Amino acid sequence: MELISIEDVRAAAADIVGTVVRTPLLPVPWDDELWVKPESLQPVGSFKLRGATHAVARLDPAVRSRGVVTHSSGNHGQALAYAAQAAGVPCTVVVPEGAPQVKVDRIRAFGAEVVLVPPARRLPEAERVAAETGATLVPPFDDPRIIAGQGTIGLEILADLPDLDVVLVPVGGGGLSSGVATAVKALRPSAAVIGVEPALAADARDSLAAGEVVVWDVERTYRTSADGLRTNLSALTLAHLRERLDGIVTVTEEEITAAMGRLAREARLVVEPSGAVAVAAHLFHRDELPSGRTAAVVTGGNVDPARLASVLAG
Protein backbone atom coordinates (compact mmCIF):
# COMPACT_ATOMS: atom_id res chain seq x y z
CA MET A 1 0.00 0.00 0.00
CA GLU A 2 1.42 3.36 -1.05
CA LEU A 3 1.97 5.88 1.76
CA ILE A 4 1.91 9.63 1.32
CA SER A 5 5.20 11.53 1.27
CA ILE A 6 6.49 14.81 2.65
CA GLU A 7 6.08 16.20 -0.88
CA ASP A 8 2.37 15.42 -0.70
CA VAL A 9 2.13 17.32 2.60
CA ARG A 10 3.97 20.30 1.16
CA ALA A 11 1.61 20.36 -1.83
CA ALA A 12 -1.31 20.39 0.58
CA ALA A 13 0.23 23.30 2.47
CA ALA A 14 0.19 25.34 -0.74
CA ASP A 15 -3.45 24.40 -1.45
CA ILE A 16 -4.83 25.48 1.92
CA VAL A 17 -3.31 28.98 2.06
CA GLY A 18 -6.07 31.56 2.26
CA THR A 19 -8.75 29.23 3.60
CA VAL A 20 -7.07 27.58 6.59
CA VAL A 21 -5.69 29.55 9.56
CA ARG A 22 -2.03 28.98 10.36
CA THR A 23 -2.55 28.38 14.06
CA PRO A 24 0.17 29.36 16.56
CA LEU A 25 2.13 26.97 18.76
CA LEU A 26 1.41 28.18 22.28
CA PRO A 27 3.31 27.48 25.51
CA VAL A 28 1.15 26.43 28.45
CA PRO A 29 1.51 28.22 31.79
CA TRP A 30 1.89 25.06 33.89
CA ASP A 31 4.79 23.29 32.10
CA ASP A 32 7.77 24.84 30.35
CA GLU A 33 8.26 21.77 28.14
CA LEU A 34 4.72 21.64 26.71
CA TRP A 35 3.26 23.58 23.79
CA VAL A 36 -0.23 23.22 22.31
CA LYS A 37 -1.29 23.55 18.68
CA PRO A 38 -4.84 25.02 18.98
CA GLU A 39 -6.67 23.84 15.88
CA SER A 40 -9.80 24.83 17.79
CA LEU A 41 -9.08 28.33 16.39
CA GLN A 42 -9.87 27.30 12.80
CA PRO A 43 -12.99 28.97 11.36
CA VAL A 44 -14.83 25.64 11.67
CA GLY A 45 -13.38 24.94 15.11
CA SER A 46 -11.18 21.98 14.16
CA PHE A 47 -8.19 20.72 12.17
CA LYS A 48 -10.50 18.96 9.72
CA LEU A 49 -10.59 22.06 7.52
CA ARG A 50 -7.06 21.27 6.34
CA GLY A 51 -7.81 17.92 4.74
CA ALA A 52 -11.21 18.99 3.42
CA THR A 53 -9.82 22.10 1.74
CA HIS A 54 -7.00 20.13 0.13
CA ALA A 55 -9.36 17.39 -1.07
CA VAL A 56 -11.78 19.86 -2.68
CA ALA A 57 -8.91 21.76 -4.30
CA ARG A 58 -7.59 18.57 -5.91
CA LEU A 59 -10.87 17.64 -7.64
CA ASP A 60 -11.15 18.21 -11.38
CA PRO A 61 -13.29 21.35 -11.89
CA ALA A 62 -16.00 19.47 -13.81
CA VAL A 63 -16.19 16.84 -11.07
CA ARG A 64 -16.11 19.45 -8.31
CA SER A 65 -19.10 21.27 -9.82
CA ARG A 66 -21.30 18.23 -9.12
CA GLY A 67 -20.69 18.68 -5.43
CA VAL A 68 -19.29 16.67 -2.54
CA VAL A 69 -20.72 14.37 0.11
CA THR A 70 -19.33 12.88 3.29
CA HIS A 71 -20.25 11.11 6.51
CA SER A 72 -19.12 12.69 9.77
CA SER A 73 -19.85 12.99 13.47
CA GLY A 74 -19.55 16.72 12.99
CA ASN A 75 -16.11 18.22 12.58
CA HIS A 76 -15.26 16.78 9.15
CA GLY A 77 -18.79 17.61 8.05
CA GLN A 78 -18.36 21.23 9.10
CA ALA A 79 -14.99 21.36 7.40
CA LEU A 80 -16.21 19.96 4.09
CA ALA A 81 -19.27 22.21 4.18
CA TYR A 82 -17.01 25.24 4.69
CA ALA A 83 -14.55 24.18 2.00
CA ALA A 84 -17.39 23.46 -0.46
CA GLN A 85 -19.04 26.80 0.27
CA ALA A 86 -15.71 28.55 -0.32
CA ALA A 87 -15.40 26.71 -3.65
CA GLY A 88 -19.02 27.41 -4.58
CA VAL A 89 -20.15 23.79 -4.81
CA PRO A 90 -23.02 21.89 -3.12
CA CYS A 91 -22.35 19.66 -0.14
CA THR A 92 -24.28 16.93 1.69
CA VAL A 93 -23.21 15.62 5.09
CA VAL A 94 -24.51 12.32 6.50
CA VAL A 95 -24.44 12.62 10.30
CA PRO A 96 -24.93 9.81 12.83
CA GLU A 97 -27.81 10.25 15.24
CA GLY A 98 -26.52 11.37 18.62
CA ALA A 99 -23.89 13.76 17.30
CA PRO A 100 -23.65 17.01 19.31
CA GLN A 101 -26.39 19.39 18.17
CA VAL A 102 -23.95 22.28 18.10
CA LYS A 103 -22.01 20.51 15.34
CA VAL A 104 -25.12 19.66 13.32
CA ASP A 105 -26.33 23.26 13.49
CA ARG A 106 -22.99 24.57 12.26
CA ILE A 107 -22.89 22.15 9.33
CA ARG A 108 -26.20 23.58 8.20
CA ALA A 109 -24.95 27.13 8.82
CA PHE A 110 -22.19 26.53 6.27
CA GLY A 111 -24.79 25.75 3.63
CA ALA A 112 -24.71 21.96 3.56
CA GLU A 113 -27.66 19.59 3.52
CA VAL A 114 -27.67 17.33 6.61
CA VAL A 115 -28.97 13.75 6.54
CA LEU A 116 -29.32 12.06 9.96
CA VAL A 117 -29.00 8.26 10.11
CA PRO A 118 -28.20 5.54 12.70
CA PRO A 119 -24.42 5.37 13.25
CA ALA A 120 -23.98 2.10 11.35
CA ARG A 121 -25.67 3.64 8.27
CA ARG A 122 -23.19 6.51 7.85
CA LEU A 123 -21.15 5.19 4.95
CA PRO A 124 -23.94 3.37 3.05
CA GLU A 125 -26.06 6.52 3.06
CA ALA A 126 -23.17 8.70 1.87
CA GLU A 127 -22.52 6.21 -0.94
CA ARG A 128 -26.19 6.32 -1.90
CA VAL A 129 -26.16 10.12 -2.14
CA ALA A 130 -23.01 10.03 -4.24
CA ALA A 131 -24.52 7.48 -6.63
CA GLU A 132 -27.77 9.42 -7.02
CA THR A 133 -26.34 12.93 -7.39
CA GLY A 134 -22.93 12.44 -8.98
CA ALA A 135 -21.29 14.12 -5.99
CA THR A 136 -17.79 13.02 -4.99
CA LEU A 137 -17.52 11.13 -1.71
CA VAL A 138 -14.86 12.80 0.45
CA PRO A 139 -14.18 10.46 3.38
CA PRO A 140 -13.24 11.81 6.81
CA PHE A 141 -9.81 10.14 6.91
CA ASP A 142 -9.44 7.20 4.50
CA ASP A 143 -7.99 9.23 1.62
CA PRO A 144 -4.42 10.29 0.75
CA ARG A 145 -5.55 13.88 0.13
CA ILE A 146 -7.14 14.09 3.57
CA ILE A 147 -4.06 12.61 5.24
CA ALA A 148 -1.75 15.03 3.42
CA GLY A 149 -3.90 18.00 4.37
CA GLN A 150 -3.92 17.07 8.05
CA GLY A 151 -0.15 16.57 7.86
CA THR A 152 0.33 20.31 7.36
CA ILE A 153 -0.02 20.59 11.15
CA GLY A 154 3.29 18.74 11.44
CA LEU A 155 4.98 21.18 9.06
CA GLU A 156 3.80 24.15 11.11
CA ILE A 157 4.79 22.63 14.45
CA LEU A 158 8.34 22.01 13.25
CA ALA A 159 8.59 25.48 11.71
CA ASP A 160 7.74 26.97 15.12
CA LEU A 161 9.67 24.49 17.30
CA PRO A 162 12.45 22.92 15.18
CA ASP A 163 14.14 21.19 18.13
CA LEU A 164 11.07 19.47 19.54
CA ASP A 165 11.36 15.96 20.95
CA VAL A 166 7.78 14.65 21.10
CA VAL A 167 4.49 15.21 19.29
CA LEU A 168 1.26 14.00 20.90
CA VAL A 169 -1.60 13.57 18.44
CA PRO A 170 -5.13 12.22 18.92
CA VAL A 171 -6.12 9.10 16.98
CA GLY A 172 -9.63 8.46 15.68
CA GLY A 173 -9.74 7.24 12.13
CA GLY A 174 -6.02 7.91 11.90
CA GLY A 175 -5.91 10.56 9.18
CA LEU A 176 -4.47 13.26 11.41
CA SER A 177 -1.91 11.04 13.12
CA SER A 178 -0.87 9.54 9.76
CA GLY A 179 -0.29 12.96 8.24
CA VAL A 180 1.44 14.50 11.23
CA ALA A 181 3.71 11.47 11.64
CA THR A 182 4.61 11.63 7.94
CA ALA A 183 5.69 15.27 8.20
CA VAL A 184 7.50 14.98 11.53
CA LYS A 185 9.40 11.78 10.71
CA ALA A 186 10.53 13.20 7.35
CA LEU A 187 11.81 16.46 8.80
CA ARG A 188 12.93 15.44 12.31
CA PRO A 189 13.41 11.67 12.50
CA SER A 190 14.65 11.87 16.09
CA ALA A 191 11.29 13.21 17.34
CA ALA A 192 8.81 10.70 18.73
CA VAL A 193 5.22 10.83 17.47
CA ILE A 194 2.84 9.30 19.98
CA GLY A 195 -0.85 8.68 19.33
CA VAL A 196 -3.44 9.22 22.05
CA GLU A 197 -6.94 7.78 22.19
CA PRO A 198 -9.66 7.25 24.80
CA ALA A 199 -9.47 4.01 26.77
CA LEU A 200 -13.14 3.50 25.84
CA ALA A 201 -12.30 3.59 22.11
CA ALA A 202 -8.84 2.03 22.01
CA ASP A 203 -9.20 0.27 18.67
CA ALA A 204 -6.04 1.88 17.24
CA ARG A 205 -3.98 0.49 20.13
CA ASP A 206 -5.45 -2.95 19.46
CA SER A 207 -4.94 -2.62 15.70
CA LEU A 208 -1.28 -1.71 16.08
CA ALA A 209 -0.76 -4.63 18.45
CA ALA A 210 -2.50 -7.07 16.09
CA GLY A 211 -0.95 -5.74 12.88
CA GLU A 212 -4.38 -5.50 11.27
CA VAL A 213 -7.47 -3.32 11.62
CA VAL A 214 -9.35 -4.30 14.77
CA VAL A 215 -12.91 -2.96 14.72
CA TRP A 216 -14.67 -1.86 17.89
CA ASP A 217 -18.42 -1.73 17.34
CA VAL A 218 -20.38 1.45 17.95
CA GLU A 219 -21.84 0.18 21.23
CA ARG A 220 -18.30 0.18 22.64
CA THR A 221 -16.88 3.32 21.10
CA TYR A 222 -19.95 5.45 21.83
CA ARG A 223 -19.20 5.17 25.56
CA THR A 224 -16.52 7.84 25.27
CA SER A 225 -17.33 11.54 25.38
CA ALA A 226 -14.64 12.08 22.72
CA ASP A 227 -17.10 11.74 19.85
CA GLY A 228 -14.49 12.64 17.22
CA LEU A 229 -12.37 9.63 18.22
CA ARG A 230 -14.99 6.88 18.03
CA THR A 231 -14.03 5.87 14.48
CA ASN A 232 -11.96 2.80 13.64
CA LEU A 233 -8.79 2.91 11.55
CA SER A 234 -8.74 2.03 7.85
CA ALA A 235 -6.19 -0.18 6.15
CA LEU A 236 -4.60 2.97 4.70
CA THR A 237 -4.22 4.80 8.01
CA LEU A 238 -3.04 1.66 9.81
CA ALA A 239 -0.31 1.25 7.19
CA HIS A 240 0.89 4.79 7.89
CA LEU A 241 0.77 4.36 11.67
CA ARG A 242 2.60 1.03 11.64
CA GLU A 243 5.39 2.65 9.64
CA ARG A 244 5.60 6.07 11.29
CA LEU A 245 3.99 6.16 14.75
CA ASP A 246 6.27 5.52 17.73
CA GLY A 247 3.61 4.40 20.17
CA ILE A 248 0.14 4.95 21.54
CA VAL A 249 -1.28 5.73 24.98
CA THR A 250 -4.85 5.80 26.24
CA VAL A 251 -6.59 8.21 28.60
CA THR A 252 -9.66 7.88 30.80
CA GLU A 253 -12.84 9.93 30.67
CA GLU A 254 -11.89 11.59 33.96
CA GLU A 255 -8.50 12.57 32.56
CA ILE A 256 -10.11 14.02 29.44
CA THR A 257 -12.45 16.12 31.56
CA ALA A 258 -9.60 17.35 33.75
CA ALA A 259 -7.57 18.34 30.67
CA MET A 260 -10.53 20.26 29.25
CA GLY A 261 -10.83 22.20 32.49
CA ARG A 262 -7.10 22.91 32.66
CA LEU A 263 -7.02 24.20 29.11
CA ALA A 264 -10.08 26.40 29.65
CA ARG A 265 -8.99 27.89 32.96
CA GLU A 266 -5.24 28.25 32.46
CA ALA A 267 -4.64 28.32 28.69
CA ARG A 268 -7.88 30.17 27.89
CA LEU A 269 -8.78 27.57 25.26
CA VAL A 270 -12.26 26.11 24.81
CA VAL A 271 -11.63 22.49 23.82
CA GLU A 272 -13.95 19.59 23.06
CA PRO A 273 -13.26 16.18 24.64
CA SER A 274 -11.53 14.81 21.52
CA GLY A 275 -9.30 17.86 21.45
CA ALA A 276 -8.16 17.41 25.04
CA VAL A 277 -6.79 13.86 24.88
CA ALA A 278 -3.21 14.77 23.89
CA VAL A 279 -2.92 17.21 26.79
CA ALA A 280 -4.53 14.61 29.08
CA ALA A 281 -1.77 12.16 28.13
CA HIS A 282 0.91 14.70 29.06
CA LEU A 283 -0.81 15.58 32.33
CA PHE A 284 -1.46 12.04 33.55
CA HIS A 285 0.80 9.63 31.64
CA ARG A 286 4.23 11.25 31.63
CA ASP A 287 5.79 7.96 32.70
CA GLU A 288 4.60 6.39 29.43
CA LEU A 289 5.94 9.18 27.22
CA PRO A 290 9.41 10.15 25.98
CA SER A 291 10.83 13.19 27.74
CA GLY A 292 11.65 16.57 26.27
CA ARG A 293 10.06 19.45 24.42
CA THR A 294 6.55 18.32 23.55
CA ALA A 295 3.84 19.62 21.22
CA ALA A 296 0.27 18.44 21.82
CA VAL A 297 -2.26 18.83 19.03
CA VAL A 298 -5.54 20.31 20.31
CA THR A 299 -7.79 19.14 17.52
CA GLY A 300 -11.03 21.04 18.07
CA GLY A 301 -13.20 23.28 20.18
CA ASN A 302 -16.73 22.36 19.12
CA VAL A 303 -17.88 21.37 22.58
CA ASP A 304 -21.52 21.15 23.58
CA PRO A 305 -22.26 24.20 25.78
CA ALA A 306 -23.81 22.06 28.51
CA ARG A 307 -20.73 19.83 28.62
CA LEU A 308 -18.45 22.85 28.84
CA ALA A 309 -20.53 24.33 31.65
CA SER A 310 -20.31 21.09 33.63
CA VAL A 311 -16.55 20.91 33.14
CA LEU A 312 -16.06 24.46 34.34
CA ALA A 313 -18.46 23.98 37.27
CA GLY A 314 -16.47 20.94 38.38
Side-chain angles (χ1 to χ4, degrees):
M1 185 173 296
E2 186 174 353
L3 307 187
I4 70 159
S5 68
I6 186 63
E7 288 75 23
D8 295 321
V9 180
R10 287 180 169 136
D15 276 349
I16 68 176
V17 171
T19 301
V20 173
V21 171
R22 192 206 186 285
T23 53
L25 193 64
L26 302 176
V28 299
W30 64 83
D31 192 318
D32 61 7
E33 285 203 324
L34 177 64
W35 287 257
V36 293
K37 179 71 166 168
E39 288 294 293
S40 50
L41 302 181
Q42 293 293 347
V44 298
S46 87
F47 76 96
K48 293 282 192 177
L49 186 58
R50 295 173 181 270
T53 299
H54 180 49
V56 171
R58 291 281 146 163
L59 292 176
D60 177 89
V63 173
R64 189 164 58 231
S65 68
R66 294 197 293 270
V68 290
V69 59
T70 195
H71 56 95
S72 169
S73 63
N75 282 343
H76 175 65
Q78 288 183 66
L80 189 64
Y82 187 99
Q85 188 176 63
V89 300
C91 177
T92 301
V93 181
V94 178
V95 177
E97 295 165 351
Q101 189 62 40
V102 62
K103 295 183 179 182
V104 177
D105 291 344
R106 287 174 182 160
I107 292 171
R108 290 195 175 108
F110 292 131
E113 179 183 352
V114 171
V115 179
L116 289 167
V117 298
R121 287 287 307 162
R122 286 170 50 156
L123 178 57
E125 182 65 17
E127 291 173 336
R128 183 194 66 77
V129 172
E132 289 187 1
T133 66
T136 297
L137 179 60
V138 181
F141 56 88
D142 189 25
D143 186 292
R145 298 163 299 181
I146 296 291
I147 293 171
Q150 320 306 27
T152 59
I153 289 174
L155 294 182
E156 294 175 11
I157 288 174
L158 284 169
D160 291 347
L161 192 66
D163 58 345
L164 93 165
D165 301 300
V166 186
V167 179
L168 302 177
V169 57
V171 182
L176 172 66
S177 47
S178 294
V180 169
T182 296
V184 172
K185 286 301 182 181
L187 299 176
R188 187 166 170 80
S190 64
V193 184
I194 306 295
V196 187
E197 64 182 343
L200 295 183
D203 57 282
R205 176 200 63 195
D206 289 359
S207 297
L208 287 167
E212 62 183 11
V213 174
V214 174
V215 175
W216 283 33
D217 60 40
V218 294
E219 286 76 18
R220 294 180 76 189
T221 61
Y222 267 59
R223 297 173 300 162
T224 180
S225 61
D227 58 282
L229 303 179
R230 293 168 177 163
T231 312
N232 294 289
L233 300 180
S234 69
L236 179 62
T237 55
L238 177 60
H240 282 82
L241 298 185
R242 289 187 70 188
E243 181 76 21
R244 295 167 179 169
L245 198 70
D246 292 292
I248 198 158
V249 299
T250 63
V251 294
T252 68
E253 296 301 297
E254 294 76 17
E255 290 164 352
I256 292 170
T257 298
M260 288 175 66
R262 195 79 177 265
L263 285 162
R265 294 186 184 94
E266 299 184 39
R268 309 298 187 266
L269 290 173
V270 172
V271 177
E272 63 189 275
S274 302
V277 298
V279 171
H282 197 264
L283 285 172
F284 298 103
H285 297 270
R286 292 289 287 276
D287 59 331
E288 300 174 46
L289 301 173
S291 60
R293 296 157 69 85
T294 300
V297 181
V298 173
T299 51
N302 294 317
V303 59
D304 182 80
R307 176 68 198 275
L308 179 61
S310 70
V311 168
L312 293 176

